[in-house]
Amino acid sequence: MYVLAWRHGIHGYRLVPVGIGVSALLQGVNAHLLAKARFTQAAQAMVWLNGSLNGRGWQDVRTAALGLLVVLPLVALAASRLKILEMGDDVAGGLGVPVQRTRLLILVLGTAACAVPTAAAGPIPFVALIAPQLARRLTRAPGPNLPVATCTGALLVVAADFASQRIHETAQLPVGVVTAVVGGLYLGWLLRRQRRLGRI
C-alpha cells in the first residue's frame, strides 16, 4: 500500500483508496482459498475472519502478550512524534521531524501492533476507528492519547464479547459481528454529524 500510494510522499487521500483496492484484492484471494478448502477448514476460517474469541485460551494470550511486549514500547517511542505530525508536514519538517520516514515507521509499527492480536483472534473490525475517538472525547485532550486509546479499545472488545455471548441463547456470535454493527452505526452517525456541520 505504501509503495502504491507513494508520489512525492504519502498523503491520506491517496493511502485510503489504495488501501480499499488492496483490501478488495486480498478479499478475492481469501474467497478463492475458502472455495478450494475443505468444508471444516472453511468453517473454521470463516469464524476467524469474523473475529472471534470463542475457544481462545491462555496460550493465545501468552503468544499475543509476548509479541506486544516487543512492539508496544517501540510504538510508544514513535507516538511522541504524532502530535508534531498533526501540525502538518511543513511545520513538522520545520521542527526537524523527518516526515516521510516517521510516517513509514509509525505505519510499520502500527501494523505490527495490530497483526499480533489479529493472528490470535482474527480481524475485529472498527475497534481502531472507535477507540481513539472515544478516548479523545473522554479525556478532552488534544492530539493522540495512546494509553487511553489502548485501554478504550480493550474495553470495547471485552464489552462486545460479553454482549455476543448473551445476544443469542444457543450460539455465541463472533465478537467481530458485534463490533461491525456498532462501528457501522457509529460511522453513520459520524458522517451525518460532519455533513450537518458542513465539513463533507
Side-chain angles (χ1 to χ4, degrees), residues 91-110:
V91 175
L95 292 172
V97 175
V99 175
Q100 297 303 331
R101 215 179 329 158
T102 302
R103 190 170 283 145
L104 176 61
L105 175 65
I106 290 171
L107 272 171
V108 170
L109 291 176

Side-chain angles (χ1 to χ4, degrees), residues 2-11 13-14 100:
Y2 193 88
V3 171
L4 291 173
W6 178 270
R7 186 181 176 187
H8 306 297
I10 291 290
H11 297 283
Y13 63 85
R14 282 202 303 271
Q100 297 303 331

Side-chain angles (χ1 to χ4, degrees), residues 18-108:
V18 168
I20 292 170
V22 171
S23 176
L25 176 67
L26 294 178
Q27 283 177 1
V29 173
N30 280 346
H32 173 73
L33 292 174
L34 287 172
K36 293 287 186 181
R38 295 177 182 175
F39 179 77
T40 53
Q41 292 174 333
Q44 290 173 346
M46 284 305 298
V47 171
W48 182 86
L49 285 170
N50 284 318
S52 177
L53 300 180
N54 298 351
R56 299 295 181 264
W58 286 109
Q59 181 58 42
D60 300 296
V61 174
R62 280 194 292 271
T63 305
L66 285 173
L68 290 175
L69 278 175
V70 175
V71 175
L72 285 183
L74 299 174
V75 171
L77 287 173
S80 61
R81 296 182 177 180
L82 284 175
K83 291 182 180 178
I84 301 174
L85 286 178
E86 278 196 329
M87 298 178 187
D89 292 358
D90 294 334
V91 175
L95 292 172
V97 175
V99 175
Q100 297 303 331
R101 215 179 329 158
T102 302
R103 190 170 283 145
L104 176 61
L105 175 65
I106 290 171
L107 272 171
V108 170

